[in-house]
Amino acid sequence: MFTKVLVAEDYEIANQGIIKILNDKIGIHNIQEAKYCDDAYLKFRKAYNDKEAFELLITDLSFREDHKIQTRASGIDLIKDIRSVQPDIKVIVYSQENRPDKINMLFEKLDINGYVCKGQHAIKELIACVNGVYQNNTVRPPELTNNTAINTMIHLDDLDMMLLEELSQGFTKKEIRTKLKKQKISPNSESAIDKRVSKLFDDFKAKNTTHLVAIVKDLGLL
Amino acid sequence: MFTKVLVAEDYEIANQGIIKILNDKIGIHNIQEAKYCDDAYLKFRKAYNDKEAFELLITDLSFREDHKIQTRASGIDLIKDIRSVQPDIKVIVYSQENRPDKINMLFEKLDINGYVCKGQHAIKELIACVNGVYQNNTVRPPELTNNTAINTMIHLDDLDMMLLEELSQGFTKKEIRTKLKKQKISPNSESAIDKRVSKLFDDFKAKNTTHLVAIVKDLGLL
DNA sequence: GACCATATTACAGAAATCTGTAAGGACATA
DNA sequence: TATGTCCTTACAGATTTCTGTAATATGGTC
């Protein structure tokens, strides 16, 4: 089993919870914790330089903003930076994120080894994940395999996201059209935008713009 | 210090984290945990009947829905039920909720003894809270005292909330007006509703309905 | 080039939104 | 009763939203 693990998670209680599981249930005792990305990187770097490198990184994705100025804003940056130094370190992400496309992105772009959703069954999943990753498997969360939900079906491109963002900020379609023209993004005609938004209505089964934004906010896409 | 504590929290990792803090930092070792409200109540009831009652309950507010059917949906119900049996038990709520009015409601309506926000400084806050509550103090989170934010300033009555809810569900003002008339809620005229919504625009500095709903969703009021 | 599917654009009309003004009712105070 | 304030209602007009139809453009395939 892994003997040396780094845990990066800003929620202290969750941080302690992970350590307790690793301790009690998996028997890993050489654990260091960090509440900030930069702090995590420093601890990683020191261990690496001392030839006592970590074998596994367990990290959250989002770190709440704080008074401390961070060069790394998210766990994604942290993973990239650490992997650029020590490419073979195993990485497990432990996060609230449950959007399949986002989680898949982590596996595809960052080549992470495992993912555990914060939730009711996190202990069992974490244990299974650490064991699986130790055996060189890629461990995706059960939600991902079962859940072929809306998010995966509906493909939102950059323009869709921009439209949703602008609409949620209260801009009229005329204003949005003007912005698009200024940025020389096409399509930028009134009816093209109308069509795009109407398609979003269909996709999300929304009655109007307000409803659409409410749905998308609830889904956490915005 | 307290000697017997019940922890009700459905997120397993957080659950373990709390127990670790109570163990390591406060020296409480007689701790029972529950992942479901009903389970928590049963454990409470058993201890009470065995004359080995809990002295402190630490509970979350929201429990994720699951396949298990629960008679108690939220921590609020749990607190009410437990207090109706053992009125003098101390209660600390540990939750993500950060809306001042909601938190204040807990202190006023449920007479809870302490509140800790899930977050970066939860350990320090939890320790301070348990200590404070043990000394018969009421411990409100630091956020609450500092944050005289929008939420506290803007008073939203039932009609306001209903309007926001209906609008976010994509109903037109005409539809809303019809609903109000059916339920014999006044005011129900088109212009009265317009005025109400316009006031909400002013309050939340929204440009239009869509913007308003987006803001309110972000604030977590809806 | 010819063909097809798809995406963009133009235009138009009904419906809904948003912002005013003005008038009436409820209620408290003097 | 008179006065003032606040809330509700009625109405109107400009703007925006939403939904169509139809023409044009784009990109890929044969």
Side-chain angles (χ1 to χ4, degrees):
Chain A
M1 179 44 64
F2 297 112
T3 55
K4 189 165 182 184
V5 177
L6 177 59
V7 176
E9 156 70 58
D10 60 344
Y11 279 12
E12 290 185 321
I13 297 273
N15 203 316
Q16 295 301 303
I18 294 173
I19 293 171
K20 191 165 187 297
I21 303 306
L22 295 178
N23 258 310
D24 299 356
K25 302 290 175 75
I26 315 187
I28 302 173
H29 301 289
N30 193 349
I31 304 166
Q32 287 192 37
E33 50 173 308
K35 277 169 36 186
Y36 304 93
C37 283
D38 286 359
D39 187 29
Y41 185 77
L42 289 177
K43 285 181 172 160
F44 154 78
R45 199 64 208 237
K46 179 171 189 330
Y48 184 82
N49 289 343
D50 292 352
K51 309 282 181 200
E52 294 172 352
F54 290 100
E55 300 158 22
L56 172 66
L57 165 69
I58 300 178
T59 181
D60 194 357
L61 283 184
S62 62
F63 289 75
R64 197 188 273 197
E65 288 192 21
D66 203 2
H67 55 281
K68 288 204 185 184
I69 296 161
Q70 300 283 306
T71 58
R72 293 164 196 81
S74 79
I76 292 178
D77 295 330
L78 177 65
I79 294 171
K80 282 181 185 167
D81 290 349
I82 285 184
R83 272 278 174 73
S84 73
V85 175
Q86 183 184 336
D88 65 337
I89 190 171
K90 302 288 187 185
V91 175
I92 292 174
V93 173
Y94 169 72
S95 169
Q96 198 106 40
E97 182 63 65
N98 58 357
R99 283 171 274 173
D101 53 337
K102 294 276 179 182
I103 297 176
N104 276 321
M105 184 276 288
L106 294 173
F107 282 98
E108 288 160 19
K109 299 282 169 71
L110 290 180
D111 201 33
I112 66 171
N113 306 93
Y115 188 95
V116 177
C117 276
K118 293 186 181 183
Q120 280 177 309
H121 311 99
I123 291 182
K124 205 173 66 183
E125 285 184 31
L126 181 61
I127 294 170
C129 189
V130 172
N131 284 322
V133 168
Y134 184 67
Q135 289 158 29
N136 280 320
N137 297 324
T138 300
V139 184
R140 289 168 191 258
E143 287 91 336
L144 203 60
T145 45
N146 308 332
N147 188 354
T148 23
I150 305 174
N151 301 6
T152 45
M153 310 298 291
I154 303 176
H155 177 67
L156 300 178
D157 63 17
D158 289 346
L159 181 60
D160 290 323
M161 290 306 295
M162 160 161 187
L163 289 180
L164 289 172
E165 181 61 35
E166 296 287 323
L167 288 173
S168 79
Q169 288 179 19
F171 293 107
T172 67
K173 287 173 182 170
K174 193 185 287 180
E175 289 172 316
I176 296 174
R177 192 182 55 194
T178 309
K179 280 196 186 183
L180 286 172
K181 279 185 179 161
K182 268 190 187 170
Q183 297 177 33
K184 304 200 173 168
I185 299 172
S186 88
N188 54 41
S189 72
E190 193 168 350
S191 59
I193 296 173
D194 278 352
K195 289 264 189 298
R196 278 302 250 277
V197 176
S198 289
K199 181 162 178 356
L200 293 175
F201 287 174
D202 290 344
D203 289 343
F204 291 100
K205 311 207 190 313
K207 298 176 193 165
N208 53 39
T209 309
T210 304
H211 194 197
L212 175 66
V213 166
I215 291 170
V216 171
K217 284 275 180 194
D218 281 344
L219 286 173
L221 296 176
L222 218 60
Chain B
M1 180 44 65
F2 297 112
T3 55
K4 189 163 182 186
V5 177
L6 177 59
V7 177
E9 156 70 59
D10 60 344
Y11 279 14
E12 289 184 321
I13 298 273
N15 203 316
Q16 296 300 304
I18 294 174
I19 292 172
K20 191 164 188 294
I21 303 306
L22 295 178
N23 259 311
D24 299 355
K25 301 292 176 72
I26 315 186
I28 303 174
H29 301 289
N30 193 348
I31 304 167
Q32 287 192 38
E33 51 172 309
K35 276 167 40 183
Y36 304 94
C37 283
D38 287 358
D39 187 30
Y41 185 76
L42 289 176
K43 285 181 173 160
F44 155 77
R45 199 64 208 238
K46 179 169 190 329
Y48 184 81
N49 289 342
D50 293 351
K51 309 283 180 199
E52 292 173 354
F54 290 100
E55 300 158 22
L56 171 66
L57 164 69
I58 300 178
T59 181
D60 195 357
L61 284 185
S62 64
F63 288 76
R64 196 189 274 197
E65 288 192 24
D66 203 3
H67 55 282
K68 289 205 185 185
I69 295 161
Q70 300 281 308
T71 58
R72 293 166 196 79
S74 80
I76 291 178
D77 295 329
L78 178 65
I79 295 171
K80 282 182 186 167
D81 290 349
I82 286 185
R83 273 277 174 74
S84 73
V85 175
Q86 183 183 337
D88 65 337
I89 191 171
K90 301 289 186 184
V91 175
I92 293 174
V93 172
Y94 169 72
S95 169
Q96 200 105 42
E97 182 63 65
N98 59 357
R99 285 172 271 173
D101 52 336
K102 294 275 179 183
I103 298 176
N104 276 321
M105 184 275 289
L106 295 173
F107 282 99
E108 287 161 19
K109 298 281 169 75
L110 290 180
D111 202 32
I112 66 171
N113 306 94
Y115 188 96
V116 178
C117 277
K118 293 186 180 182
Q120 280 177 308
H121 312 98
I123 292 183
K124 205 174 66 182
E125 284 184 31
L126 181 61
I127 295 170
C129 190
V130 172
N131 285 322
V133 168
Y134 184 68
Q135 290 160 28
N136 280 319
N137 295 326
T138 299
V139 184
R140 290 168 188 256
E143 288 90 335
L144 203 63
T145 43
N146 305 335
N147 187 353
T148 24
I150 305 174
N151 302 7
T152 44
M153 310 299 290
I154 302 177
H155 177 67
L156 300 178
D157 63 18
D158 290 345
L159 180 59
D160 290 322
M161 289 308 293
M162 162 165 187
L163 289 179
L164 290 171
E165 182 61 35
E166 297 286 323
L167 288 172
S168 79
Q169 288 178 19
F171 293 107
T172 66
K173 286 173 183 170
K174 194 186 286 182
E175 290 172 316
I176 296 174
R177 192 183 55 194
T178 309
K179 280 195 185 182
L180 286 172
K181 279 185 179 159
K182 269 190 185 168
Q183 297 177 32
K184 305 199 173 169
I185 300 172
S186 86
N188 54 41
S189 73
E190 194 167 351
S191 59
I193 297 173
D194 279 351
K195 289 263 189 302
R196 276 303 246 276
V197 176
S198 288
K199 181 161 176 0
L200 292 174
F201 287 173
D202 289 344
D203 289 344
F204 291 99
K205 310 206 189 314
K207 297 175 193 165
N208 53 40
T209 308
T210 303
H211 194 197
L212 175 66
V213 166
I215 292 170
V216 171
K217 285 273 180 196
D218 281 344
L219 286 174
L221 297 176
L222 217 60

